[in-house]
Amino acid sequence: MLRQALQMTQRDWRAGELRFLLVALIVAVASLSAVGFFVDRMRAGLNRDAHQLLGADLVINADQPINGVWRAEAERRGLMLAETVTFPSMALAGEGDNAQSQLVSIKAVSPGYPLRGRLKIATAPDGADVETNDIPDPGTVWVDAGLLQALHIDTGNTLRLGDKAFRVAKLISVEPDRGAGFMNFAPRVMLPLSDLAATGLIQNGSRVTYRLLAAGPPAQMAAYEKWLQGKVKLDNVKGMRIESLESGRPEMRATLDRAEQFLSLVGLLSAMLAAVAIAMAARRFMLRHLDACAMLRCLGLTQNQVTVMYLSEFFVVGLVGSALGAAVGFSAHFVLLEWLGRLVTNTLPPASFLPALQGIATGMLLLIGFALPPILQLRNVPHNRVIRREQDPPQAFTLATYALGLVVFIGLLLWQAGNPKLGLLTAAGFLGGFALFALVGWLSLKSLRVVRTTVNHPGWRFAITALQRRTGATVVQIVALSLGLMALLLLTVIRGDLVDAWRNSTPPDAPNRFIINIQPEQKPEIEQRLKQAGGTHPALYPMIRGRLVQVNGKAITTETYTEDRARRLVDREFNLSTMQDMPPQNQIIAGRWYDDSKPEASVEEGLAKTLGVRLGDKLRFDIGGQQVDTTVSSLRKLDWGSMRVNFFVILNPQSMKSMPQTWITAFHLPPDRNGFVNALTRDFPNLTIVDVGSMIRQVQSVLDQVIGAVEFLFLFTLASGVLVLYAALVGSQDERIRESGLLRALGATRSQLSQAQWIEFALVGGLAGILAATGAATVGWTLATFVFDFEWRFSPIVWLVGLVVGSLCAFVGGWVGLRNVLNQPPLQSLRGS
């Protein structure tokens, strides 16, 4: 039987019966394997370099100076220690009108930094990298090479930070523990910790991150971490986080997890469409082998032997196709590394065999789930099929195997998504769309009965009769065409609409500069300068750093909440403000604006939802050691896309009059007025002026890499969509050829059959195009509303494009498949079919 199965495989391959199935398998496995190999190497790199990403074995990360007791305990245990202090500020170069300023991320480091890993430095932008165990000498700084270009300076020149001038000594090539925080996208300036006080940059209200790095033997580190966690819990310490080798860089791992899920789902979209193509290819294979199977039964093969023979054939095809798909995926993952690998500076280790094994397993599961039902139908082909062109309907056992395909499909979604909720929602959405397309197609075919009874045109009657005669096959064709076209529309029209909507979500005159750390005595002069510079009157708002410690008399900690965002919010300080009137871009959605005669607060709706805060709740804030009690009087909706100053919580002025405050503002600076920023930074070195436009461009450069990788993966989706379109168009070719031959033998003219074919293709393709446009527009609206959070406008061109493209695809497919039928004698068509 095995030899017979191999001979059948060779024969079917030469006849072209297996090529389409093989291509569909290769595309499905390649799309998932490319993501699998990429993520495998990224994870292996993170695991290998976990200590380098930390710069230590354990790191204490806090928004206040490190407790001396923690440091003393580490020293008592004989651990190696180092310290860093990181914060954003402005760097100034040049004198007078030639002065240039740039937002930078300052990092002050102590001797011994980093404890794990090595800094790499260079003496010139094109110089060779050299590992070092040192830190900058007093009076000098090391900077990112990009800062030299931004400030038009070179190594050896002077750079001013606050009240102190430094000489640029070296360039930073590799900083192992830099992390992926938003401010770390600003150019780095590294200086010795002993010079930090002389700059005068750290003042009341400054946003500073203090880190204590520790390293030592594993047993001592584990004991110290356990002791530290006990002290933090006992003293209910806020605003600190412990990072260890086991946790790695939390933001790096979270970013990788999100990227893995997103890229996997994009790859899975390709696999889902390829699964449809596999199912249709297997069905076509079954229909074309009915006669051969009946002949084999007449020659003495049993049902079990027929089943084993065809399953062996499909096993060989599945194994070869999956192996080729894994090889294509391995090659394709280097393209992903070209786009996304630049986000990780260290060299990644080689890929393991696991993604290849997973890809092959995925291909075999797809084949079992979607090709097994048609193959099992071949075992039930009767002997008399040789002389009677009939076939019994599928048996219950055969139909039950379609449930197996559904289970396999959902299992693959859950496996690739890595998140049960996300996987189930994706499965529900895909299956729901599939069912909806099928229902609309079936109802549309039923409604054609009215047209058939009222229209006497032969072409229309032939077309409608043909569609209704094979209702099931027509519905499958409509659904397959719709899914393939929807993938194409998502890649073209909808993608462009999403990008345009994102661009339009920020008004052209939106503020492009933020000024923070404005001291109270500086407020009048800075306000006057802003009026003179832009001709506008930007509002200055007080900014107060505080931490929420109680809700309705109950103390809250990170253990109070299970959601990650809620735990982060209660574990750190966030910005509060106070003002008499509500800012214009805010909108009250519940309650009323506060009364200044009693302590009340207005809370942003998203924060309230995350922390479970409601109207009338009593909140307690810790502001610089002072306790402030207030009552929630309103919930506000903010326009975060306005690029204006927004606050989570605004308290009434009477409650905040004795609290330490700095001021913040946002304003729009025309491109030709950059000298204003340089002069302001020179006169007020403590200010931090954030160029939002510049930072958006920096982040956009990273996002462009991610978008490029996703678009590359969408090429697999495009290939899958084309496969589905092809399968849908050729799936009924044999039956159409036989019907056309019969109708011509019964007297139908060539012109009548040609008209009927064009009408049939127009109805099927047009309906599929409209369904695809509706599905693509729905996906676009869902992404805009629930993912990107901006306004979505439905474009009628999507439906027009869907209608035209759907009809063209059907016309082309029909013409390719049936162009020779009408040009040859009916007897030859019947013999060929």
Side-chain angles (χ1 to χ4, degrees):
M1 290 303 302
L2 179 59
R3 184 171 62 252
Q4 181 67 26
L6 292 176
Q7 291 176 352
M8 289 284 291
T9 304
Q10 292 176 353
R11 190 198 69 173
D12 288 337
W13 175 258
R14 289 193 299 268
E17 300 289 348
L18 298 174
R19 294 172 189 172
F20 179 73
L21 183 64
L22 187 69
V23 171
L25 266 176
I26 291 174
V27 170
V29 175
S31 62
L32 296 178
S33 297
V35 178
F37 280 114
F38 171 75
V39 172
D40 179 75
R41 293 188 65 181
M42 292 286 284
R43 285 203 171 279
L46 285 178
N47 291 331
R48 181 198 63 185
D49 301 328
H51 61 284
Q52 296 184 21
L53 291 172
L54 287 171
D57 293 336
L58 182 143
V59 175
I60 302 172
N61 194 318
D63 55 16
Q64 297 292 334
I66 301 299
N67 192 323
V69 176
W70 304 345
R71 191 193 326 271
E73 179 65 20
E75 292 174 346
R76 187 187 69 80
R77 294 174 182 266
L79 304 179
M80 296 184 294
L81 297 179
E83 294 181 67
T84 67
V85 179
T86 308
F87 59 94
S89 188
M90 302 299 292
L92 188 68
E95 300 291 340
D97 294 337
N98 295 324
Q100 299 287 329
S101 62
Q102 172 71 34
L103 176 71
V104 296
S105 177
I106 295 178
K107 186 173 188 176
V109 299
S110 68
Y113 165 86
L115 300 178
R116 302 296 187 201
R118 288 291 181 268
L119 278 166
K120 289 185 179 181
I121 56 175
T123 56
D126 55 352
D129 298 340
V130 178
E131 288 190 353
T132 179
N133 295 322
D134 299 325
I135 64 171
D137 295 327
T140 67
V141 293
W142 297 348
V143 303
D144 285 347
L147 184 61
L148 301 184
Q149 183 178 3
L151 294 178
H152 306 292
I153 60 174
D154 203 347
T155 53
N157 293 148
T158 299
L159 186 71
R160 178 168 291 278
L161 301 175
D163 299 330
K164 185 173 177 59
F166 295 85
R167 181 176 60 86
V168 178
K170 304 287 185 183
L171 302 180
I172 301 173
S173 301
V174 175
E175 180 186 351
D177 65 331
R178 179 146 187 172
F182 182 71
M183 284 307 304
N184 287 332
F185 287 108
R188 174 73 81 207
V189 174
M190 185 178 294
L191 67 150
L193 189 60
S194 57
D195 283 347
L196 179 59
T199 64
L201 290 174
I202 298 182
Q203 300 183 16
N204 182 33
S206 298
R207 306 188 67 165
V208 184
T209 299
Y210 299 87
R211 302 178 77 215
L212 178 65
L213 287 69
Q220 295 184 22
M221 292 306 307
Y224 178 64
E225 183 177 3
K226 183 177 180 181
W227 175 88
L228 190 60
Q229 290 173 341
K231 289 291 293 181
V232 170
K233 185 175 182 180
L234 180 64
D235 299 338
N236 193 22
V237 178
K238 302 284 188 179
M240 69 88 65
R241 183 174 71 248
I242 302 174
E243 301 172 6
S244 64
L245 284 172
E246 286 71 25
S247 63
R249 291 289 307 184
E251 68 273 19
M252 290 293 290
R253 289 195 178 274
T255 300
L256 182 60
D257 289 340
R258 287 192 294 268
E260 177 185 357
Q261 290 182 1
F262 185 72
L263 294 175
S264 295
L265 285 177
V266 174
L268 201 58
L269 175 60
S270 306
M272 288 188 294
L273 290 171
V276 176
I278 290 171
M280 299 183 70
R283 181 178 181 275
R284 186 167 185 261
F285 180 90
M286 181 267 295
L287 293 175
R288 295 173 69 92
H289 282 71
L290 290 176
D291 292 340
C293 190
M295 182 63 69
L296 291 173
R297 293 293 309 280
C298 291
L299 294 176
L301 264 66
T302 65
Q303 284 184 322
N304 290 336
Q305 289 175 326
V306 170
T307 303
V308 169
M309 186 178 64
Y310 282 110
L311 286 180
S312 300
E313 181 175 351
F314 266 57
F315 178 81
V316 172
V317 173
L319 199 59
V320 173
S322 299
L324 290 175
V328 173
F330 178 76
S331 302
H333 97 279
F334 287 104
V335 181
L336 290 178
L337 286 175
E338 179 63 25
W339 271 301
L340 294 179
R342 284 176 286 175
L343 299 179
V344 176
T345 56
N346 293 338
T347 303
L348 294 176
S352 67
F353 289 103
L354 183 60
L357 296 177
Q358 290 176 337
I360 293 174
T362 298
M364 299 305 294
L365 286 174
L366 284 173
L367 200 63
I368 292 173
F370 294 96
L372 186 60
I375 294 303
L376 291 181
Q377 286 184 251
L378 289 176
R379 66 178 277 120
N380 300 320
V381 176
H383 302 74
N384 58 6
R385 164 80 188 187
V386 175
I387 57 176
R388 295 181 60 185
R389 313 295 293 177
E390 296 177 0
Q391 182 186 4
D392 296 332
Q395 297 181 359
F397 174 75
T398 303
L399 293 176
T401 56
Y402 283 100
L404 174 63
L406 180 61
V407 171
V408 170
F409 171 74
I410 296 176
L412 281 175
L413 280 175
L414 295 176
W415 181 25
Q416 294 296 330
N419 183 322
K421 181 179 179 181
L422 184 61
L424 289 174
L425 286 176
T426 305
F430 187 83
L431 294 176
F434 192 95
L436 183 61
F437 287 169
L439 177 62
V440 173
W442 182 79
L443 292 176
S444 300
L445 291 178
K446 293 297 182 183
S447 65
L448 288 177
R449 291 180 178 177
V450 179
V451 179
R452 185 178 182 276
T453 57
T454 57
V455 176
N456 294 323
H457 190 279
W460 279 93
R461 292 177 63 85
F462 284 157
I464 295 173
T465 301
L467 289 174
Q468 292 183 332
R469 183 185 301 116
R470 49 176 185 274
T471 303
T474 304
V475 169
V476 170
Q477 188 176 18
I478 291 173
V479 172
L481 273 171
S482 301
L483 292 175
L485 288 172
M486 188 173 72
L488 300 181
L489 290 175
L490 280 172
L491 284 173
T492 54
V493 181
I494 298 300
R495 175 182 170 275
D497 288 344
L498 283 173
V499 172
D500 291 341
W502 173 73
R503 289 172 177 165
N504 295 332
S505 64
T506 302
D509 60 344
N512 56 8
R513 300 290 194 282
F514 281 79
I515 305 180
I516 60 178
N517 291 338
I518 303 173
Q519 299 301 309
E521 64 274 10
Q522 299 170 338
K523 176 177 176 290
E525 184 175 353
I526 290 177
E527 192 171 18
Q528 183 63 31
R529 288 198 183 192
L530 290 174
K531 293 178 182 177
Q532 296 173 354
T536 59
H537 301 275
L540 275 69
Y541 299 100
M543 187 168 68
I544 305 164
R545 301 284 289 168
R547 179 180 287 109
L548 182 64
V549 294
Q550 284 187 11
V551 176
N552 293 326
K554 295 182 179 179
I556 60 172
T557 65
T558 55
E559 305 299 326
T560 307
Y561 300 93
T562 57
E563 185 183 351
D564 288 340
R565 182 169 183 267
R567 294 165 68 97
R568 290 195 301 268
L569 284 170
V570 300
D571 192 42
R572 67 172 178 84
E573 293 181 335
F574 52 88
N575 294 330
L576 312 172
S577 188
T578 180
M579 59 198 72
Q580 196 68 44
D581 300 319
M582 183 174 64
Q585 69 270 19
N586 289 215
Q587 176 185 355
I588 291 180
I589 60 172
R592 55 169 179 78
W593 189 245
Y594 49 65
D595 182 357
D596 198 25
S597 63
K598 50 187 176 182
E600 291 183 335
S602 178
V603 181
E604 190 265 337
E605 61 169 342
L607 178 72
K609 182 179 180 180
T610 301
L611 299 182
V613 174
R614 298 177 177 83
L615 286 176
D617 284 356
K618 298 186 180 300
L619 310 180
R620 172 172 291 181
F621 292 94
D622 184 334
I623 303 175
Q626 302 183 55
Q627 307 294 312
V628 176
D629 294 310
T630 186
T631 302
V632 179
S633 66
S634 64
L635 301 179
R636 288 172 296 117
K637 180 179 181 180
L638 304 181
D639 181 10
W640 293 104
S642 67
M643 304 302 294
R644 303 185 184 278
V645 179
N646 287 313
F647 296 98
F648 281 132
V649 180
I650 303 177
L651 297 93
N652 66 306
Q654 188 66 26
S655 302
M656 296 288 102
K657 62 180 182 180
S658 61
M659 295 299 159
Q661 303 174 357
T662 59
W663 295 76
I664 181 175
T665 188
F667 66 101
H668 180 79
L669 186 69
D672 57 347
R673 298 299 304 274
N674 287 330
F676 170 76
V677 173
N678 298 329
L680 200 63
T681 306
R682 182 184 64 242
D683 296 340
F684 302 97
N686 65 288
L687 297 182
T688 298
I689 303 178
V690 183
D691 183 351
V692 181
S694 174
M695 298 192 71
I696 287 178
R697 288 192 296 271
Q698 289 176 340
V699 174
Q700 187 63 44
S701 67
V702 176
L703 293 179
D704 286 342
Q705 297 177 42
V706 179
I707 291 172
V710 171
E711 289 181 340
F712 172 72
L713 285 180
F714 266 126
L715 293 178
F716 290 107
T717 307
L718 179 62
S720 299
V722 172
L723 287 176
V724 172
L725 286 174
Y726 177 79
L729 294 173
V730 304
S732 59
Q733 269 189 9
D734 296 337
E735 189 175 356
R736 291 175 186 274
I737 291 173
R738 185 169 181 271
E739 288 180 358
S740 298
L742 284 174
L743 289 173
R744 290 198 65 191
L746 294 174
T749 65
R750 183 182 186 281
S751 175
Q752 290 174 335
L753 291 181
S754 178
Q755 291 177 359
Q757 288 176 7
W758 290 119
I759 293 172
E760 183 180 349
F761 295 146
L763 292 174
V764 171
L767 179 59
I770 293 175
L771 289 176
T774 304
T778 303
V779 172
W781 172 81
T782 303
L783 291 175
T785 304
F786 299 105
V787 178
F788 300 116
D789 193 22
F790 50 63
E791 184 179 357
W792 172 260
R793 293 182 176 87
F794 288 98
S795 174
I797 195 174
V798 178
W799 282 270
L800 179 60
V801 171
L803 180 63
V804 173
V805 173
S807 300
L808 287 177
C809 286
F811 288 156
V812 172
W815 178 78
V816 170
L818 302 178
R819 67 185 186 280
N820 294 325
V821 174
L822 301 181
N823 297 325
Q824 62 187 15
L827 182 59
Q828 186 176 347
S829 297
L830 292 175
R831 285 175 174 173
S833 66

